[in-house]
Amino acid sequence: MVIEEQVDINIRYLYRVEILPEAFRTENPHKSPLLLSLHSHSILNSAQPRPSYTLPPTAKNMPAAAPPRTYEDFVKVHGVLLAASGLPRSLHRRLFDKLSSETFDGGAYFQVEPCEEGRQRRLVLTAGALPRESDVFLVDHAWTFRLPDAYNQLLELPGLAQRMAALMCVDIDLNSSDAEETEGVGEENFKLNAADVVENEIREAKEKGNDTVRWLELEEMDIDDDMLLSLELTSKFPDLLALSLCGNKLKNVGVVAEEVTKFKSLRALWLNNNPVEKCDVQMEQQILKGCPGLEIYNSRFTPNYGEWALGFCGGVYGKDNPDFGHQGESPLKNITSLDLSDRCIRSLKNKPFSPVEMPLLSHLNIRGNPLEDSVSELFTLLKRFPSLQSLEVDIPGPLGDNAVEIAESLPNIYLLNGVKASKIFETGKLLVDSMLQPRFPEWTAEESVVDRVVNAMWLYAMTYRLADEEKLDESSVWYVMDELGSALRHSDEPNFRVAPFLYMPEGTLESAVSYSILWSIRNVDSGDECTRDFLFGIGEDKQRSARLTAYFHTPQNYFLQEYKKFCQNLQSKRLPSSLGKSSFVRSLCRSDGEPLHVYTDIPQVEEFLTRPEFVITSEMKDADIIWTSTQVDEEVKKVTGITERQVINQFPFEACLVMKHHLADTVQKAHGSPEWLQPTYNLETQLSPLIGDYFSREKDGTNNLWILKPWNMARTIDTTVTDNLSAIIRMMETGPKICQKYIEHPALFQGKKFDLRYVVLVRSINPLELFLADVFWVRLANNPYTLEKRSLFVYETHFTVMNYRGTINHKNTPDFVKEFEQEHNVQWLDIHERVRMMIKSVFEAAATVQPEMHSPTSRAIYGVDVMLDTNFQPKLLEVTYCPDCTRACKYDTENLFGTKNVVKGRDFYNYVFGCLFLGEENNVSRL
């Protein structure tokens, strides 16, 4: 179906949706946002590390009365942004003129056209030739949003979902009756029957002076077993070489096999799309035995294939030329292109497949064949073809796992899977494929427009992140370009480039309006499609080939093999423990008998550490113990004068625990893939095995819901739950992340999701001295748990940390445990013992994998977050440095273990410090 449609881009659209009233403001209203981190020069450019640029002084506090009215002012205010965009300096003034006058003149140069049967649109240059870097065009943003707000905006803003659906080509029902083609009215549907075709073939052969018919096609003629017998084909066509009976109603294996084996000269037989095809193996054996010369059976090569089958694929043989008439000549000598794809070929070692028979062969396609020849045998064979310059082959496949190795082994190959060998070497591409098909969103007619848009937007959205003087904005800004910009399709060799740009008409970020700017980077002629590189600036060192999967159907086999290797590697990474035996670590004491001096920047420690053995000091240099929420590295020690005698509440190299990607790596190196760690991938280095895992689950029909977490952010900032593979890959643009299999079936408490916060006290790494605080607490989601698609955007359904957003639904731990036991008919002590063993294993892994953590002047506490699945198996979520212990200090609770005494919240830091620094074990248990 071709949709006759053109999109009018000569006018600016009636409205732009930029629902970000706070987008250019920081949390502190008294602080001006000064920085802009442009995460995307093009749709995926954010994966390349980008600096944050400080705006010039004129941009910081420029009064509203002095906007950049001149070009010079414009450059002063936007200089850093201009440099970040990559726009050539020669186009800066042109951009200023168009921004100042709000000139959207793309409609005079471009036209948006439907393609891919209406599933996509493309942008075509309709004006005269456009030389390289000769003009710049403004592209409006049709929708700007923060990800958690996307679903509600589509529901609530009039017209937004409909416009996005049309822009993303998901506003039609693909199987609707309107899309069906109908035959012309009044025309008679005339169809020859099989008997008529047989007679016509005989008559035409006689008219041409041929004494026999060698090629017969009887396709889709409703031939059943009885009719096949009545046609008496063997008596009428005794010398038949090729017979096609595709698309008929043949059912009886015995009848079909007996009839076709009467053709003793048969070289090709097609029975595709008949009921007997289900009995293919049984029938094939009978037919091959009765037709020893058969080379093609149901489009596949038989083990007997040779010169005729190769000639058929090379265009030598066909209906008009079923055999080679000049016996003295080599029939394959003029073949230059040979397509052997999907022929079920198990070996290319065949006498006719040789440079002697095909000296001119320049293009060869061997995709989709289960070749059993060794890699070295195949390379040796292919090197012998003197003219072979273009090869198409599965990667990974019979020639190896990556394109670079194949191109190196076949130095005469110019094109590999349609990509220049020189380009493969230049980019280091491992996976190349000229036949990649676009990844279109899928939906059903019953699916809402909003759900369709949410699924499709990852093929169109782009992103950047704002920053102030101190930190990046916590969540990224996503945006969708208007119909003109969104029609730019991908090319590895594009002719245009796109970059986001913030225009500040009043000279401040508060007045900024976001656009994209578009300019040609090659000479473009009228009628040419306008393209951009979705992966601009991203090479194979940033997993370019794998990231293409967000937009195209890349070869699944490659990623499945990478996943298999990843799993095998995990199985081989279990390390033997080298820990010393547990022993008592000495307590601290001052030689002068004075209390231990504690410096802290944590108000709770200052307020609640009341034991006489400790005294708070405001001077870091005077402290025996430094208890801080900030990282203390060698540079900080040097600046502050911290000495080796002072004890600090952190261990060196503790990043192996408290950064999420390092935590997963630590556990995997020590324990492989324990049941308490969900499958976890570092997206910066392990995207290919993740994609393989996703495809494997998709094939098996198992759950494919994943959670993406930033490496080093707390409070679920920039954390997303999704089952959309394109979304997973695109999320890499907002900063380094891990992707972890979501616990889709957690244990629930009164229908709501929860997790548990434990506090671990570490006195020593070697020997390992661990203690678990007897007091832990539960964190509850506010909404009932559901996997309904819309709920994935609802924080209070899928997340439990409500200290910073949402309403805290505090539950006293003893009450929770009692009610949980009643609800699920379990013993909490059994669950607690599993949690204890898991936590011990985590810290044993760190001590084994990272022995450099050991430091005699370190003591620390860590928060360990745990979730239970429906089998009450604990799952490790994360480990937190210097955890927020507000609840531990605020609430009195009963000790559920040991003495069962009441633990006062105000005593929390007293017994923590007693354990770590005085050798006590009150309200803690040794692990």
Side-chain angles (χ1 to χ4, degrees):
M1 178 184 68
V2 177
I3 299 177
E4 296 296 335
E5 173 193 9
Q6 292 182 357
V7 178
D8 184 2
I9 55 176
N10 288 289
I11 61 171
R12 188 148 184 223
Y13 292 91
L14 296 178
Y15 66 91
R16 87 190 326 248
V17 181
E18 188 154 10
I19 313 301
L20 283 173
E22 83 295 349
F24 306 123
R25 299 184 177 90
T26 61
E27 292 179 352
N28 185 344
H30 303 292
K31 187 186 299 179
S32 298
L34 304 178
L35 308 178
L36 173 68
S37 176
L38 291 180
H39 273 257
S40 181
H41 281 201
S42 66
I43 203 160
L44 280 180
N45 202 31
S46 62
Q48 190 176 19
R50 297 287 172 193
S52 293
Y53 300 102
T54 304
L55 295 176
T58 51
K60 294 182 180 179
N61 297 299
M62 181 176 286
R69 300 187 185 281
T70 68
Y71 173 66
E72 289 72 20
D73 289 337
F74 170 76
V75 172
K76 287 179 182 178
V77 171
H78 299 86
V80 172
L81 304 178
L82 289 167
S85 72
L87 183 71
R89 188 178 296 273
S90 59
L91 292 176
H92 288 185
R93 182 177 288 275
R94 182 70 168 154
L95 176 62
F96 167 67
D97 292 339
K98 291 192 176 184
L99 285 168
S100 301
S101 59
E102 288 193 306
T103 299
F104 292 84
D105 57 347
Y109 292 82
F110 306 101
Q111 181 172 295
V112 177
E113 297 178 349
C115 58
E116 301 289 349
E117 297 185 338
R119 301 298 302 274
Q120 279 186 340
R121 293 193 177 101
R122 65 175 193 151
L123 192 67
V124 176
L125 182 69
T126 53
L130 189 67
R132 172 178 178 269
E133 297 180 0
S134 59
D135 204 349
V136 61
F137 302 93
L138 294 185
V139 178
D140 205 1
H141 291 174
W143 181 28
T144 307
F145 58 94
R146 307 272 186 180
L147 189 56
D149 304 325
Y151 204 99
N152 282 340
Q153 288 183 13
L154 290 166
L155 281 174
E156 297 169 3
L157 294 172
L160 175 61
Q162 288 70 28
R163 182 181 178 188
M164 289 298 103
L167 182 150
M168 299 173 187
C169 303
V170 295
D171 58 340
I172 58 173
D173 292 330
L174 297 178
N175 298 318
S176 66
S177 58
D178 295 339
E180 296 178 359
E181 294 183 6
T182 58
E183 297 184 16
V185 178
E187 294 182 5
E188 181 180 359
N189 293 325
F190 178 74
K191 185 176 180 180
L192 288 173
N193 60 41
D196 293 334
V197 172
V198 167
E199 295 303 318
N200 287 344
E201 290 288 339
I202 295 173
R203 184 176 62 255
E204 289 178 5
K206 290 180 179 179
E207 291 174 355
K208 293 178 180 179
N210 298 329
D211 56 352
T212 185
V213 174
R214 310 297 299 275
W215 193 293
L216 181 63
E217 296 177 358
L218 299 174
E219 299 177 353
E220 297 183 356
M221 292 188 174
D222 297 329
I223 300 174
D224 58 17
D225 301 321
D226 293 336
M227 184 181 295
L228 178 64
L229 292 172
S230 68
L231 290 174
E232 299 180 342
L233 297 180
T234 53
S235 62
K236 297 174 181 176
F237 309 108
D239 299 321
L240 206 61
L241 290 177
L243 172 63
S244 176
L245 293 167
C246 293
N248 286 296
K249 299 178 179 179
L250 301 172
K251 296 180 180 179
N252 191 303
V253 172
V255 169
V256 174
E258 183 178 354
E259 284 301 298
V260 299
T261 52
K262 294 177 181 178
F263 295 103
K264 299 306 179 183
S265 301
L266 204 62
R267 297 290 181 87
L269 173 66
W270 292 277
L271 296 171
N272 311 61
N273 301 322
N274 277 278
V276 290
E277 198 174 9
K278 297 178 182 178
C279 309
D280 195 51
V281 175
Q282 175 188 355
M283 186 168 59
E284 182 177 3
Q285 292 174 350
Q286 294 183 38
I287 291 174
L288 289 180
K289 184 177 180 180
C291 301
L294 196 67
E295 298 187 28
I296 297 177
Y297 175 73
N298 286 0
S299 303
R300 304 189 304 267
F301 280 17
T302 74
N304 303 323
Y305 88 90
E307 175 256 303
W308 194 91
L310 293 170
F312 170 77
C313 292
V316 175
Y317 301 129
K319 184 174 175 61
D320 295 332
N321 185 33
D323 62 351
F324 198 75
H326 307 288
Q327 298 297 326
E329 298 182 28
S330 173
L332 309 182
K333 68 175 183 178
N334 293 321
I335 291 179
T336 58
S337 180
L338 185 60
D339 185 355
L340 301 180
S341 59
D342 301 309
R343 293 290 179 181
C344 203
I345 302 171
R346 298 193 175 276
S347 176
L348 284 177
K349 291 184 293 184
N350 185 292
K351 183 178 180 181
F353 187 79
S354 72
V356 175
E357 298 294 325
M358 292 181 286
L360 302 181
L361 183 65
S362 61
H363 173 78
L364 174 65
N365 185 346
I366 54 174
R367 293 175 185 267
N369 290 295
L371 293 169
E372 296 171 356
D373 304 321
S374 70
V375 174
S376 59
E377 288 175 327
L378 288 171
F379 279 139
T380 300
L381 177 60
L382 295 176
K383 285 179 182 177
R384 291 172 51 208
F385 286 86
S387 302
L388 188 61
Q389 292 188 327
S390 174
L391 176 67
E392 293 195 40
V393 63
D394 297 327
I395 305 175
L399 292 180
D401 292 343
N402 72 71
V404 173
E405 291 180 0
I406 296 173
E408 288 175 343
S409 300
L410 297 172
N412 292 332
I413 294 295
Y414 175 72
L415 292 176
L416 179 60
N417 289 359
V419 179
K420 293 179 182 178
S422 58
K423 186 76 172 178
I424 294 172
F425 293 133
E426 176 187 338
T427 60
K429 276 192 173 186
L430 303 180
L431 176 65
V432 297
D433 201 320
S434 62
M435 307 300 290
L436 294 181
Q437 296 301 311
R439 184 178 292 277
F440 299 126
E442 301 294 334
W443 70 88
T444 63
E446 296 76 27
E447 201 166 354
S448 71
V449 171
V450 170
D451 285 335
R452 296 182 190 186
V453 171
V454 167
N455 188 37
M457 69 185 187
W458 300 106
L459 304 175
Y460 295 89
M462 301 167 70
T463 185
Y464 57 81
R465 177 171 287 184
L466 299 167
D468 62 21
E469 290 177 301
E470 298 178 358
K471 64 177 182 178
L472 283 173
D473 196 358
E474 289 185 345
S475 62
S476 294
V477 177
W478 290 87
Y479 63 96
V480 176
M481 293 188 291
D482 65 15
E483 284 74 359
L484 185 151
S486 293
L488 286 158
R489 297 199 298 172
H490 170 76
S491 172
D492 283 341
E493 297 181 354
N495 48 21
F496 279 84
R497 187 169 160 190
V498 175
F501 192 83
L502 292 187
Y503 176 51
M504 296 175 282
E506 300 300 327
T508 62
L509 275 175
E510 284 80 1
S511 68
V513 181
S514 63
Y515 299 103
S516 289
I517 52 179
L518 170 71
W519 69 96
S520 59
I521 56 175
R522 299 176 185 269
N523 295 332
V524 188
D525 294 323
S526 180
D528 287 351
E529 181 177 357
C530 306
T531 59
R532 63 185 180 91
D533 184 357
F534 289 175
L535 302 164
F536 173 75
I538 297 174
E540 287 305 316
D541 59 327
K542 295 291 183 182
Q543 308 176 99
R544 180 182 176 94
S545 292
R547 294 174 75 154
L548 276 174
T549 308
Y551 301 96
F552 297 95
H553 290 284
T554 50
Q556 290 193 8
N557 189 42
Y558 172 83
F559 298 107
L560 291 171
Q561 287 198 24
E562 291 298 299
Y563 171 54
K564 183 179 179 181
K565 292 178 188 175
F566 179 81
C567 294
Q568 291 172 342
N569 193 35
L570 285 185
Q571 293 174 0
S572 66
K573 274 197 171 182
R574 294 184 179 88
L575 300 179
S577 175
S578 59
L579 302 178
K581 292 183 178 180
S582 178
S583 64
F584 176 75
V585 176
R586 67 177 179 83
S587 61
L588 298 184
C589 62
R590 289 172 61 103
S591 58
D592 58 6
E594 290 289 316
L596 293 168
H597 289 216
V598 178
Y599 169 84
T600 184
D601 57 6
I602 300 175
Q604 293 164 339
V605 177
E606 189 170 355
E607 180 181 358
F608 294 110
L609 183 59
T610 58
R611 294 183 58 158
E613 295 93 338
F614 304 96
V615 61
I616 301 296
T617 178
S618 60
E619 295 294 332
M620 186 179 291
K621 62 182 179 60
D622 298 331
D624 301 298
I625 300 168
I626 298 172
W627 195 275
T628 176
S629 61
T630 59
Q631 181 181 2
V632 178
D633 54 22
E634 292 303 318
E635 184 176 347
V636 171
K637 288 181 180 180
K638 184 177 180 180
V639 171
T640 58
I642 296 176
T643 66
E644 293 301 320
R645 70 171 181 81
Q646 294 173 295
V647 177
I648 305 173
N649 69 325
Q650 53 193 253
F651 283 85
F653 299 99
E654 65 184 6
C656 71
L657 285 169
V658 299
M659 294 188 72
K660 297 179 185 69
H661 63 308
H662 289 321
L663 174 61
D665 186 57
T666 297
V667 171
Q668 289 165 350
K669 283 180 177 177
H671 301 301
S673 182
E675 61 181 346
W676 43 263
L677 180 70
Q678 290 289 92
T680 305
Y681 301 89
N682 179 355
L683 288 181
E684 295 299 298
T685 58
Q686 297 169 336
L687 179 59
S688 290
L690 164 66
I691 295 172
D693 193 345
Y694 186 98
F695 284 152
S696 178
R697 293 172 188 275
E698 193 173 55
K699 280 187 172 184
D700 295 341
T702 55
N703 182 276
N704 236 333
L705 201 58
W706 298 80
I707 184 167
L708 294 101
K709 307 175 183 178
W711 280 358
N712 196 28
M713 282 189 179
R715 298 184 279 137
T716 63
I717 294 169
D718 200 20
T719 300
T720 307
V721 179
T722 183
D723 62 356
N724 186 310
L725 180 58
S726 295
I728 292 171
I729 299 172
R730 297 293 315 283
M731 286 291 177
M732 295 171 65
E733 301 167 42
T734 62
K737 290 181 176 60
I738 63 166
C739 185
Q740 194 169 64
K741 183 64 188 69
Y742 192 61
I743 305 168
E744 71 273 10
H745 297 302
L748 302 178
F749 178 68
Q750 297 175 357
K752 297 177 181 178
K753 190 174 177 180
F754 69 91
D755 67 18
L756 306 166
R757 165 60 65 88
Y758 289 85
V759 176
V760 179
L761 291 69
V762 183
R763 282 207 302 229
S764 169
I765 292 296
N766 192 13
L768 190 59
E769 290 277 341
L770 294 177
F771 300 86
L772 186 64
D774 289 339
V775 172
F776 66 96
W777 55 95
V778 61
R779 303 184 297 191
L780 291 163
N782 288 336
N783 297 339
Y785 181 71
T786 175
L787 288 177
E788 190 267 329
K789 198 174 187 84
R790 180 180 177 181
S791 77
L792 301 181
F793 290 85
V794 181
Y795 180 85
E796 294 181 73
T797 298
H798 288 273
F799 298 100
T800 59
V801 181
M802 301 298 163
N803 307 47
Y804 309 98
R805 47 178 157 163
T807 302
I808 296 180
N809 182 14
H810 177 69
K811 186 76 175 178
N812 195 31
T813 303
D815 294 337
F816 163 78
V817 169
K818 181 179 179 181
E819 294 176 30
F820 187 86
E821 287 181 328
Q822 293 174 347
E823 180 180 353
H824 294 284
N825 193 27
V826 294
Q827 293 295 316
W828 188 262
L829 282 176
D830 295 337
I831 295 172
H832 183 70
E833 185 58 29
R834 293 178 202 162
V835 172
R836 282 173 51 86
M837 297 304 296
M838 181 193 75
I839 292 176
K840 184 178 180 181
S841 296
V842 171
F843 284 86
E844 285 177 341
T848 301
V849 172
Q850 195 70 59
E852 296 89 345
M853 275 187 71
H854 177 66
S855 168
T857 57
S858 293
R859 310 278 196 279
I861 66 172
Y862 298 92
V864 178
D865 295 338
V866 180
M867 186 171 287
L868 305 177
D869 65 15
T870 49
N871 296 319
F872 312 110
Q873 166 66 43
K875 300 284 187 177
L876 177 66
L877 299 183
E878 65 176 312
V879 177
T880 306
Y881 159 75
C882 198
D884 180 354
C885 295
T886 300
R887 295 195 197 193
C889 296
K890 184 176 182 180
Y891 299 104
D892 298 344
T893 186
E894 178 187 349
N895 187 338
L896 296 172
F897 317 104
T899 62
K900 304 248 175 139
N901 61 303
V902 174
V903 181
K904 299 291 186 181
R906 64 175 179 269
D907 288 332
F908 176 76
Y909 278 108
N910 284 334
Y911 66 74
V912 165
F913 272 63
C915 177
L916 292 178
F917 304 111
L918 303 180
E920 300 174 352
E921 296 186 18
N922 298 323
N923 297 318
V924 299
S925 57
R926 184 182 289 266
L927 291 177

